[in-house]
């Protein structure tokens, strides 16, 4: 193998390993970034909607006035369009049913109090489901980070070994023919 070809192969291997390490780094960073966006978007929004509904219930007397009903219903509609976790649809449907019972004109005071209690339980369930999902997604992200660290560490080690081998052997590839030429001239 000629010296020129050996140098090309050596630099080619270095280029390929660096390209592979960079590509994998970008892939894992993008994957983690997407996972974080999903957690923040879906679960955080559900927690915000639940907090808004709880605030509406806590800050107003029962029966709710028109403004409070409208505010609660707007948050509930947003929550109904943001169901992302297993079991969240059931809790949201129960919340809708209990809110309908609370705002009904035929409901007496003890029924309203029971509906209010059920609403608080439904909100707690929605919050619990979303908090669990955040923890599970965080654990999955940590596992992905650990896997990425191992893979990138291995690629880094291979790159180091290739560079070390190339740097040790390149001097011999260049100097051996020059020494032979020098000896031949002498």
């Amino acid at each position: 193998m000629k010296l020129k070809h050996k140098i090309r192969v050596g630099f080619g291997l270095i280029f390929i390993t660096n390209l592979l390490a960079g590509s994998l780094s970008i892939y894992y960073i993008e994957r983690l970034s997407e996972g974080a966006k999903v957690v923040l978007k879906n679960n955080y929004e559900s927690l915000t909607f639940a907090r808004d509904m709880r605030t509406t219930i806590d800050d107003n007397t029962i029966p709710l006035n028109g403004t409070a009903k409208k505010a609660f219903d707007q948050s509930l509609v947003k929550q109904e369009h943001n169901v992302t976790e297993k079991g969240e649809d059931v809790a949201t449907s129960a919340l809708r049913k209990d809110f309908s019972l609370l705002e009904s004109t035929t409901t007496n005071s003890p029924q309203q109090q029971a509906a209010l209690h059920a609403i608080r339980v439904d909100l707690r369930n929605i919050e619990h489901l979303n908090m669990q999902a955040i923890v599970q997604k965080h654990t999955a992200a940590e596992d992905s980070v650990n896997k990425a660290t191992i893979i990138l560490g291995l690629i880094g080690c291979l790159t180091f070994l290739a560079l070390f081998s190339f740097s040790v052997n390149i001097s011999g590839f260049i100097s051996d023919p020059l020494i032979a030429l020098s000896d031949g001239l002498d």
Side-chain angles (χ1 to χ4, degrees), residues 34-93:
E34 278 301 310
K37 285 177 190 175
V38 168
V39 168
L40 288 177
K41 180 185 177 296
N42 296 334
N43 299 113
Y44 181 75
E45 285 179 355
S46 286
L47 291 170
T48 301
F49 301 147
R51 184 198 65 220
D52 292 345
M53 289 182 274
R54 185 180 306 283
T55 300
T56 301
I57 292 293
D58 291 344
D59 291 349
N60 293 282
T61 58
I62 303 302
L64 295 174
N65 62 33
T67 306
K69 282 182 184 179
K70 184 176 179 183
F72 189 96
D73 190 55
Q74 287 174 342
S75 294
L76 182 53
V77 167
K78 289 177 185 176
Q79 170 57 31
E80 289 170 334
H81 289 95
N82 192 48
V83 173
T84 56
E85 304 306 325
K86 185 178 179 181
E88 191 176 2
D89 55 343
V90 173
T92 302
S93 296

Side-chain angles (χ1 to χ4, degrees), residues 2 6 12 27 43 63 72 74 82 94 113 115 125 143 166 178:
K2 292 184 178 182
K6 289 178 183 178
Y27 168 76
N43 299 113
F72 189 96
Q74 287 174 342
N82 192 48
Q113 290 303 319
N125 288 340
D143 291 345
F166 186 68
L178 293 174

Side-chain angles (χ1 to χ4, degrees), residues 108-129:
N108 60 32
S109 183
Q111 289 174 324
Q112 285 181 333
Q113 290 303 319
L116 181 61
H117 176 71
I119 286 172
R120 291 180 191 279
V121 170
D122 296 336
L123 289 171
R124 204 168 34 243
N125 288 340
I126 291 170
E127 290 169 340
H128 179 71
L129 288 168

